């Protein structure tokens, strides 16, 4: 039976994140957004609080928490800045999560402490220019050469593609469309033949760096292969199942941030001699927002609970990600409407929630792909 009360740990994490965000993030949110500045130094500070290794056991330098604390931390951050929430989610769930889940002892000892403390930022490269939803068709190849692998190709849309000190990269080691033909490699920045490429100029999530990874005869030792050769695609699908809980949390935080701002504004803004919250048209919007946000939270916590118990989250992670991300887009749109013309300016926070929210229905599998995952699960 699921307990709906926040644990003491969750309350502690929420307070810590709120205090941190007020001091280190909120004052700079619009400056970073306008300049598309990725605040690398701020992430070092976040690392000191354990926020870059939330799920990593303490023996590897992490906070050793579970998924409830993880959901809390990301959603609290996203209430203040979606970009920071996205970068935290990608760093923890994707790069760090992949090494933690599929790395051997030596690999975990080598990379996890640096990632968990924020000394290094992590990237995770699955997507390519021509293969997004259809990742299995990837073209980036790794060919065996003695006790090394030679990587050639590019990855696109990679969070921390330029600034990340280490990346987990999925590359083809077998035939096209062979689900056992893809392998996961750890590639450190500075490895000859590996560099970051074009940085995307985005609608939202502008302070979260999104860039290309380029490999030109990049030699990677056998010791950097995660798990078995050929298991990379299955590993990536498992990492995304868990990662979707982080995007659901990000969506939840954005929706809550937009709702909180709209609720407050509706009581302060007067038209026709009364607060606009007195109009049922506005009050009902807020009621719908509150209800859908609550439903998003329950789905996200259900997936977190199952993940904590070691159960499959294939369907439940997709439920949470699909629903919460659509709610984030819808709720932030309604928030702009409640703010009227002011909502359309950068003087109020809702236009940023509106822009940031859209990533949530796209990254780590679009809404359509979530429906594919869900329909496969319920029809099997
Ligand atoms: C800000 C940002 C950060 C990102 N970070 C990372 C990262 O760190 N690492 C990484 O590997 N990737 C990352 N991505 C990539 C992201 O995961 C992909 O953009 C996403 O998977 C969609 O792929 P695509 O953009 O190629 O869209 P496409 O796959 O080309 O899809 C286009 C449209 O077609 C629809 N579609 C596709 N196939 C089907 C189908 N079978 N049925 C119905 N509809 C379908 C899609 O839902 C979508 O609406 C990031 C993307 C963004 C925008």
């Amino acid at each position: 039976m699921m307990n709906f009360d926040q644990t003491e740990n969750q309350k502690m994490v929420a307070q810590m994140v709120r205090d941190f965000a007020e001091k280190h993030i909120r004052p700079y949110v619009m400056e970073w957004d306008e300049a598309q500045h990725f605040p690398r130094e701020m992430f070092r500070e976040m690392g000191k609080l354990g926020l870059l290794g939330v799920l990593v056991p303490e023996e590897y330098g992490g906070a050793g928490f579970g998924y409830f604390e993880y959901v809390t931390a990301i959603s609290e951050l996203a209430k203040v800045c979606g970009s920071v929430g996205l970068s935290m989610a990608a760093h923890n769930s994707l790069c760090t999560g992949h090494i933690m889940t599929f790395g051997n002892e030596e690999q975990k000892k080598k990379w996890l402490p640096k990632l968990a403390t924020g000394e290094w930022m992590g990237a995770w490269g699955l997507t390519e220019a021509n293969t997004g939803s259809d990742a299995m068709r990837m073209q980036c190849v790794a060919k065996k050469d003695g006790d090394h692998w030679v990587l050639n190709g590019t990855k696109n849309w990679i969070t921390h593609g330029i600034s990340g000190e280490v990346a987990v990269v999925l590359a083809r080691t077998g035939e096209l469309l062979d689900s056992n033909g893809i392998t996961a490699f750890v590639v450190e920045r500075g490895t000859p033949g590996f560099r970051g490429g074009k940085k995307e100029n985005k609608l939202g999530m502008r302070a979260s760096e999104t860039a290309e990874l380029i490999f030109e005869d990049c030699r990677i030792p056998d010791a950097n292969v995660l798990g078995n050769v050929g298991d990379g695609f299955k590993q990536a699908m498992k990492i995304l199942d868990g990662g979707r809980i982080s995007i659901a949390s990000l969506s939840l935080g954005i929706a809550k941030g937009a709702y909180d701002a709209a609720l407050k504004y509706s009581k302060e803004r007067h038209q026709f001699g009364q607060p606009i919250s007195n109009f049922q048209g506005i009050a009902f919007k807020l009621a719908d927002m509150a209800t859908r946000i609550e439903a998003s939270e329950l789905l996200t916590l259900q997936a977190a609970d199952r993940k904590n118990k070691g159960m499959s989250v294939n369907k439940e992670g997709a439920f949470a990600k699909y629903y919460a991300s659509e709610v984030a887009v819808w709720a932030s749109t309604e928030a702009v409407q409640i703010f009227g013309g002011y909502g359309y300016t950068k003087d109020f926070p809702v236009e940023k929630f509106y822009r940031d929210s859209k990533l949530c229905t796209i990254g780590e599998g679009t809404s359509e792909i979530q429906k594919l995952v869900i329909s496969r699960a319920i029809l099997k």
Side-chain angles (χ1 to χ4, degrees):
M1 188 59 201
M2 215 168 105
N3 183 351
F4 296 105
D5 295 330
Q6 270 203 333
T7 62
E8 284 309 310
N9 267 349
Q10 275 180 285
K11 287 183 196 156
M12 187 267 288
V13 167
Q15 194 54 53
M16 179 185 82
V17 171
R18 274 186 221 128
D19 292 344
F20 178 84
E22 284 312 313
K23 189 163 169 223
H24 297 279
I25 303 173
R26 197 185 293 282
Y28 313 105
V29 165
M30 287 316 287
E31 194 182 311
W32 294 340
D33 182 74
E34 297 264 318
Q36 284 219 111
H37 171 67
F38 173 60
R40 179 66 183 91
E41 287 310 312
M42 189 281 299
F43 278 93
R44 264 184 237 287
E45 296 302 312
M46 269 176 68
K48 289 181 191 160
L49 298 182
L51 294 170
L52 297 183
V54 179
L55 302 163
V56 175
E58 286 171 83
E59 57 176 309
Y60 302 110
F65 282 139
Y67 271 78
F68 286 139
E69 293 82 3
Y70 187 44
V71 170
T72 302
I74 295 180
S75 58
E76 285 297 332
L77 274 178
K79 280 185 193 171
V80 180
C81 180
S83 296
V84 176
L86 173 62
S87 276
M88 177 183 165
H91 173 92
N92 278 274
S93 275
L94 302 180
C95 179
T96 310
H98 204 135
I99 295 173
M100 188 171 79
T101 312
F102 296 107
N104 60 32
E105 195 50 36
E106 202 179 315
Q107 293 169 330
K108 288 199 261 192
K109 281 203 181 108
K110 183 168 181 190
W111 290 300
L112 289 183
K114 288 196 172 87
L115 288 163
T117 54
E119 188 186 336
W120 282 12
M121 285 303 288
W124 190 78
L126 174 70
T127 309
E128 298 179 3
N130 296 320
T131 57
S133 304
D134 189 11
M136 183 113 78
R137 260 177 235 265
M138 67 175 63
Q139 300 292 321
C140 185
V141 290
K143 288 227 162 19
K144 189 91 173 108
D145 181 21
D147 56 2
H148 277 69
W149 293 84
V150 183
L151 261 70
N152 276 294
T154 56
K155 294 282 167 186
N156 291 66
W157 304 102
I158 309 306
T159 304
H160 316 141
I162 295 169
S163 299
E165 281 85 1
V166 64
V168 170
V169 178
L170 284 304
R172 170 164 307 291
T173 47
E175 294 304 308
L176 188 72
L177 293 182
D178 176 2
S179 61
N180 297 314
I182 289 169
T183 302
F185 298 89
V186 180
V187 185
E188 291 186 13
R189 195 164 70 181
T191 308
F194 169 45
R195 62 190 162 93
K198 180 187 166 227
K199 175 172 162 171
E200 302 297 338
N201 182 4
K202 306 194 297 294
L203 167 73
M205 299 295 194
R206 290 170 57 82
S208 177
E209 178 185 273
T210 314
E212 210 178 5
L213 306 179
I214 301 172
F215 302 95
E216 287 163 332
D217 291 330
C218 174
R219 291 177 67 79
I220 305 297
D222 268 334
N224 289 23
V225 171
L226 291 170
N228 295 324
V229 170
D231 280 355
F233 193 74
K234 278 176 260 168
Q235 293 174 0
M237 292 303 111
K238 204 140 186 248
I239 290 302
L240 287 174
D241 278 350
R244 283 171 188 151
I245 298 175
S246 72
I247 304 299
S249 312
L250 177 64
S251 308
L252 186 62
I254 291 174
K256 281 184 177 178
Y259 166 76
D260 289 346
L263 184 73
K264 182 164 176 283
Y265 186 80
S266 73
K267 291 190 256 182
E268 292 166 0
R269 175 71 175 170
H270 283 66
Q271 290 292 279
F272 300 94
Q274 54 191 310
I276 59 168
S277 59
N278 276 8
F279 305 129
Q280 200 176 56
I282 298 292
F284 277 17
K285 277 191 198 303
L286 292 164
D288 278 336
M289 287 160 91
T291 308
R292 293 187 202 180
I293 289 170
E294 197 81 4
S296 300
E297 185 150 26
L298 291 175
L299 283 176
T300 307
L301 291 176
Q302 169 181 254
D305 185 47
R306 289 178 64 92
K307 191 79 183 156
N308 278 343
K309 291 176 178 156
M311 298 162 78
S312 162
V313 290
N314 176 252
K315 182 177 69 181
E316 293 75 11
F319 277 161
K321 197 273 185 188
Y322 168 43
Y323 188 76
S325 64
E326 292 290 344
V327 167
V329 172
W330 173 82
S332 55
T333 309
E334 290 293 69
V336 172
Q337 192 68 19
I338 291 173
F339 270 79
Y342 295 96
Y344 205 62
T345 70
K346 289 181 189 283
D347 296 336
F348 290 91
V350 288
E351 66 82 33
K352 183 168 182 294
F353 288 123
Y354 177 78
R355 286 185 289 114
D356 288 348
S357 67
K358 196 58 198 147
L359 176 273
C360 300
T361 68
I362 297 171
E364 296 200 31
T366 61
S367 288
E368 291 74 18
I369 293 304
Q370 302 313 310
K371 286 192 255 193
L372 204 69
V373 172
I374 294 165
S375 57
R376 277 183 188 149
I378 60 181
L379 287 168
K380 81 173 170 207

